[in-house]
Amino acid sequence: MYNIRGNKQTQGTGHRPPGEDSPLSEEPQREEQPSPPDLSAPGKDPADSLKPTPKSSLTANLIQKAKRQSNTFPLFTEGLTRNRTAQEKVLALEQQVLMLTKELKAQKELVKILHKALEAAQQEKRVSSAYLAAAEDKDRLELVRHKVRQIAELGRRVEALEQERESLVQAASLREQEVQELRQHVQLLMDKNEAKQQVICKLSEKVTQDFMHPPCQPPAPPDAADSDLLSQQEKMEHLKDDMEAYQTQNRFLNSEIHQVTKIWRKVAEKEKALLMKCAYLQAKNCQVESKYLAGLRRLQEAMGVEAGECSELLRQLIQEALQWEASEASADSVVLSPISEYDEYGFLTVPNYEVEDLRLLAKIQVLEVHSHHLLAHEAVEQPLRERWAALGELAPSPEIKQLLRAGVPREHRPRVWKWLVRLRVQHLQGPGRYQELLSRGQACKHPAARQIELDLNRTFPSNKHFTYPASSFPDRLHRVLLAFSWQNPAIGYCQGLNRLAAIALLVLDEEESAFWCLVAIVETIMPADYYSKTLLASQVDQRVLQDLLSEKLPKLMAHLGQRRVDLSFITFNWLLVVFADSLISNILLQVWDAFLYEGTKVVFRYALAIFKYNEEEILKLQDGLEIYQYLRFFTKTICDSRKLMNIAFNDMNPFPKKQLRQLRMAHRERLEAELHELEQLKAKYLETRAAQGPAVPEGCTSEDEGEAEP
């Protein structure tokens, strides 16, 4: 309404005299300046006029306001008509400008086309002049051929342009349809707008008539505005009541949630305490069962084969104990971590030894290991897992060294081993190197291929991954060993490499990663000639280990020396395959975690720790044969990996690398001198035999003479 009055005011200023003001221009001033109170009215006090008016005066104020605006509404239709006429003129002028612009563009396009036609005509003229000026028919023929080629090219361009024109026509038709739809939509909106404007005009006229001619009725109850105000106030009161009710309900629910949270926390704490108690009881149960089995074994050794019935009963009890598994417990018992048949890397928890005594010891060891695992889970293993999970990018540091010594959790071990191997062999690795070695093995058979195939079936017979017919591990191990034989021709293959590669394959689960792990161990961690044909460095390390045992465990070495026990029969394989056949998988892989980072010093530390762990038991044995029998399986009695680690890295200190290096150099010189002396003796013996000739005792004939006789 304000815009309409504004337009009317603008148009009216041009038709009125200068001294005459428009009623529309006076209206805002009247609205802005309130009229002073009527002091001349009889019976009214000025103070009374300033008092708030009652509700019944609201209608009177609205009527007076409508009267002040009554002069504008008779001109509403005229102003709207004039406004429409001006808009139509502006639209017509804009359309005319658009038409002229389009016509100008068309003229420019026509000029361009004429220019092109002129250029083509001039080109044609030049070609014709050249054709007429040609001296020979050959030149004219070449000009004709060139023209034919131009015509063919122009024909192809015309076809392409025709296709483009058709596509543009189709696109234009689609756009035309869209434009038609939009026009229809715009027309519909305009019709709706027209109808709304008519409704607004009718309502405005009706309101004006109502204000100009109010109905003469006696005082009525509060009008519609007052009733709406009252209804709004009532609704607000109801909403306030609802809001207070919701707030009270929310406070009640919050208190309930708080109580439930406190109860849930108490239940969680109780559950955790019960789980810890169950783990402790299960660990104690494993300990009791292992002691029971150890008692049966000692009783069997004490009784021997004298008592027939008692011996049979004892044998039956041992068989039942060996066959019992934690998973076969009753349904009422709580089994948190049952002892499964295979561990997480596929090794049998209780190997099928032919000797019953060894199976009994293996069973005792499994129970003891399980007991230590349950007792150390919350106190040691869980914080260790959290520390490994918090590590970001791996980098050499004292913290990494301590964590690797404590052992890497299974879920982080593949990533950590790949990083450790990459530190060792990044100068040897090359893109596609492993595949290149495999291709070389397929093209030409390596001399060591036969020995590799024979050793595959002897690799970890107690591991399901290498014994199941459907397993892919033997084939993958075969490819890894063949690739290494081509990678290092000086070694080719040595017995023991199959177990090193198998451990790497079980942990890393990738052929190429296992191959580079084997390369890292043989070529960067172990000394040179460790896996050569002479095993020179391996023999040196056996002598180094003897010296270290004499230094760290003198009492034990004196005891073994008195019984003439040679430890190299036991320890040679330890160092050659890094305990792969000696320790159970969880202790073995903990040794490898530190070995891949620190090197061979870790192997010597753990070799000393194993003897220290069992020193008291060995000292009890007085016969050399008994000691040898015990040393065959005494690594199977190691159950506490934490205790073994503390012995290796704490009790065996100090253990400087310089000392290890000096011992190796000294023993290598002695061993090389001994081998050189043996070679000289062998050569001297062969020269003597060659000088003497073949000696045949009297009365005997040689094989050659026997064959010469008929």
Side-chain angles (χ1 to χ4, degrees):
M1 299 298 290
Y2 182 80
N3 293 334
I4 295 172
R5 291 198 306 271
N7 294 333
K8 181 65 179 176
Q9 179 182 355
T10 305
Q11 295 175 3
T13 54
H15 300 282
R16 291 182 178 273
E20 195 172 344
D21 293 334
S22 172
L24 293 176
S25 63
E26 294 176 359
E27 181 58 28
Q29 296 178 4
R30 291 196 188 106
E31 290 180 2
E32 291 176 1
Q33 298 178 1
S35 60
D38 190 5
L39 300 177
S40 63
K44 285 188 178 181
D45 193 22
D48 295 335
S49 63
L50 296 174
K51 293 181 180 180
T53 58
K55 293 182 179 180
S56 59
S57 64
L58 182 60
T59 305
N61 291 334
L62 292 174
I63 293 172
Q64 290 178 3
K65 191 173 182 180
K67 286 180 179 180
R68 288 196 301 268
Q69 296 176 352
S70 61
N71 293 329
T72 63
F73 284 104
L75 302 175
F76 177 78
T77 307
E78 183 181 357
L80 186 61
T81 304
R82 291 181 179 179
N83 191 12
R84 285 183 181 176
T85 305
Q87 290 179 357
E88 289 176 356
K89 289 181 179 179
V90 170
L91 289 175
L93 291 173
E94 289 178 353
Q95 290 179 358
Q96 189 175 0
V97 169
L98 289 175
M99 291 296 293
L100 292 173
T101 304
K102 290 180 180 179
E103 186 176 355
L104 180 60
K105 288 182 179 180
Q107 293 293 334
K108 289 181 179 180
E109 291 292 333
L110 181 59
V111 169
K112 289 180 180 180
I113 292 171
L114 292 174
H115 276 297
K116 289 182 180 180
L118 180 60
E119 290 177 358
Q122 291 176 353
Q123 181 68 21
E124 184 70 22
K125 181 180 178 182
R126 287 194 292 270
V127 171
S128 300
S129 300
Y131 179 78
L132 294 174
E136 298 180 0
D137 294 338
K138 185 186 293 185
D139 296 335
R140 293 181 180 179
L141 182 61
E142 184 62 30
L143 290 172
V144 170
R145 288 177 179 173
H146 179 67
K147 196 65 177 178
V148 169
R149 286 195 294 270
Q150 285 185 347
I151 292 171
E153 181 66 24
L154 290 174
R156 286 193 293 271
R157 289 180 61 186
V158 167
E159 291 178 358
L161 291 173
E162 186 66 25
Q163 293 177 358
E164 185 178 358
R165 188 187 67 80
E166 291 177 358
S167 62
L168 291 175
V169 168
Q170 293 178 359
S173 61
L174 293 175
R175 293 290 183 275
E176 187 66 26
Q177 293 178 2
E178 292 178 0
V179 169
Q180 291 294 335
E181 292 177 358
L182 291 174
R183 285 178 179 174
Q184 293 177 1
H185 185 64
V186 169
Q187 186 64 35
L188 180 61
L189 292 177
M190 291 179 66
D191 294 341
K192 289 183 179 179
N193 192 18
E194 185 71 22
K196 288 180 181 179
Q197 287 182 357
Q198 292 178 3
V199 171
I200 290 171
C201 292
K202 290 181 180 179
L203 291 176
S204 300
E205 292 176 358
K206 185 176 181 181
V207 169
T208 303
Q209 291 177 2
D210 290 341
F211 282 150
M212 292 295 294
H213 305 286
C216 298
Q217 294 180 357
D223 58 355
D226 295 337
S227 63
D228 290 341
L229 182 61
L230 292 175
S231 63
Q232 292 293 335
Q233 290 179 353
E234 290 178 359
K235 287 181 180 179
M236 288 179 65
E237 292 295 331
H238 289 308
L239 290 174
K240 287 181 180 179
D241 294 339
D242 293 341
M243 187 173 65
E244 290 178 359
Y246 285 132
Q247 288 177 351
T248 305
Q249 186 178 6
N250 189 25
R251 287 194 295 270
F252 174 74
L253 291 175
N254 287 335
S255 63
E256 289 291 321
I257 291 172
H258 182 66
Q259 294 294 330
V260 170
T261 304
K262 290 174 65 177
I263 294 171
W264 177 79
R265 287 178 180 173
K266 290 180 180 179
V267 170
E269 291 175 358
K270 287 183 179 179
E271 182 183 6
K272 185 177 180 180
L274 287 173
L275 289 174
M276 292 179 64
K277 187 175 181 181
C278 288
Y280 175 76
L281 292 175
Q282 192 176 11
K284 288 297 181 183
N285 181 45
C286 292
Q287 291 177 358
V288 170
E289 187 183 355
S290 65
K291 291 178 181 178
Y292 168 71
L293 293 174
L296 290 177
R297 179 174 173 271
R298 290 180 182 177
L299 185 60
Q300 186 182 27
E301 290 177 353
M303 292 180 62
V305 293
E306 296 177 358
E309 294 181 359
C310 294
S311 178
E312 184 64 28
L313 178 61
L314 189 61
R315 190 177 297 107
Q316 184 179 356
L317 290 174
I318 292 175
Q319 290 293 334
E320 290 177 357
L322 289 174
Q323 293 174 1
W324 185 84
E325 296 290 340
S327 59
E328 297 175 0
S330 61
D332 297 333
S333 64
V334 179
V335 181
L336 298 176
S337 180
I339 301 174
S340 60
E341 183 181 3
Y342 295 94
D343 66 6
E344 53 192 5
Y345 289 100
F347 290 96
L348 275 171
T349 53
V350 182
N352 295 321
Y353 294 119
E354 295 181 359
V355 182
E356 186 179 89
D357 199 23
L358 292 179
R359 283 191 287 127
L360 189 61
L361 283 173
K363 180 71 175 181
I364 293 171
Q365 185 193 30
V366 168
L367 292 170
E368 289 291 337
V369 169
H370 194 59
S371 172
H372 287 296
H373 170 72
L374 291 172
L375 292 175
H377 180 72
E378 292 293 332
V380 179
E381 293 188 7
Q382 191 62 31
L384 184 63
R385 290 177 185 273
E386 292 175 358
R387 289 181 66 186
W388 275 107
L391 282 178
E393 186 177 355
L394 299 175
S397 64
E399 182 186 7
I400 285 288
K401 183 178 180 180
Q402 295 301 322
L403 287 174
L404 289 170
R405 287 182 174 184
V408 184
R410 184 179 186 275
E411 59 271 20
H412 300 287
R413 183 166 281 135
R415 176 175 67 95
V416 175
W417 278 29
K418 288 179 182 178
W419 171 70
L420 293 172
V421 170
R422 189 166 57 252
L423 288 179
R424 298 277 185 180
V425 299
Q426 57 186 351
H427 64 287
L428 299 174
Q429 284 181 323
R433 175 63 177 168
Y434 179 67
Q435 297 298 328
E436 177 187 348
L437 295 172
L438 289 180
S439 301
R440 191 183 303 176
Q442 292 175 358
C444 179
K445 187 174 182 180
H446 197 277
R450 177 60 180 167
Q451 186 61 43
I452 291 173
E453 292 175 0
L454 291 176
D455 281 355
L456 285 178
N457 296 326
R458 294 196 288 263
T459 304
F460 294 138
S462 62
N463 190 291
K464 65 179 181 180
H465 296 299
F466 294 99
T467 55
Y468 282 3
S471 177
S472 62
F473 274 79
D475 294 335
R476 295 160 67 186
L477 178 62
H478 185 221
R479 289 192 289 270
V480 169
L481 294 174
L482 278 179
F484 179 80
S485 65
W486 288 105
Q487 165 74 14
N488 193 330
I491 296 175
Y493 176 74
C494 174
Q495 287 186 348
L497 296 181
N498 57 328
R499 276 160 276 185
L500 296 177
I503 293 294
L505 196 59
L506 287 172
V507 174
L508 299 174
D509 198 31
E510 295 177 1
E511 285 185 34
E512 187 169 358
S513 299
F515 165 76
W516 287 114
C517 183
L518 182 61
V519 172
I521 294 171
V522 176
E523 298 186 7
T524 65
I525 299 177
M526 291 298 192
D529 298 331
Y530 215 86
Y531 299 97
S532 63
K533 293 181 179 180
T534 60
L535 299 175
L536 180 64
S538 300
Q539 298 181 55
V540 170
D541 277 359
Q542 291 302 310
R543 299 188 180 190
V544 172
L545 180 60
Q546 295 285 336
D547 289 353
L548 293 174
L549 283 169
S550 300
E551 178 188 347
K552 303 292 184 182
L553 303 172
K555 187 177 179 181
L556 178 63
M557 289 303 293
H559 178 75
L560 295 174
Q562 292 175 2
R563 276 86 185 161
R564 298 177 181 273
V565 176
D566 187 2
L567 292 179
S568 62
F569 290 108
I570 306 298
T571 59
F572 189 85
N573 196 50
W574 289 4
L575 275 62
L576 191 69
V577 297
V578 196
F579 304 104
D581 288 329
S582 306
L583 299 173
I584 59 174
S585 62
N586 62 334
I587 301 177
L588 170 66
L589 296 177
Q590 185 176 342
V591 174
W592 276 54
D593 293 336
F595 163 71
L596 291 175
Y597 186 73
E598 299 183 51
T600 53
K601 186 174 72 170
V602 173
V603 181
F604 286 101
R605 280 184 176 273
Y606 271 100
L608 297 172
I610 289 172
F611 283 106
K612 180 66 176 177
Y613 191 99
N614 297 275
E615 183 179 15
E616 295 180 1
E617 295 294 328
I618 298 173
L619 291 175
K620 292 178 183 178
L621 302 174
Q622 301 300 323
D623 184 63
L625 183 59
E626 289 182 352
I627 293 175
Y628 274 117
Q629 288 178 348
Y630 179 73
L631 293 178
R632 283 177 53 211
F633 59 83
F634 82 116
T635 55
K636 304 299 182 184
T637 62
I638 299 175
C639 308
D640 193 349
S641 61
R642 299 295 160 188
K643 178 182 176 182
L644 185 66
M645 182 197 69
N646 289 328
I647 294 173
F649 294 107
N650 295 325
D651 296 352
M652 293 298 111
N653 286 334
F655 201 93
K657 276 188 175 181
K658 184 178 179 181
Q659 180 190 7
L660 182 61
R661 189 163 50 249
Q662 290 175 350
L663 287 173
R664 276 177 166 168
M665 289 176 61
H667 284 292
R668 189 180 184 92
E669 290 178 359
R670 294 195 196 107
L671 185 58
E672 287 177 348
E674 292 175 3
L675 292 176
H676 182 66
E677 185 178 354
L678 287 174
E679 288 293 331
Q680 287 180 347
L681 291 173
K682 182 180 177 182
K684 188 175 181 181
Y685 170 74
L686 292 175
E687 289 176 0
T688 305
R689 286 294 304 271
Q692 292 177 353
V696 181
E698 295 181 0
C700 298
T701 59
S702 64
E703 293 181 359
D704 296 336
E705 293 176 354
E707 290 177 357
E709 295 178 358

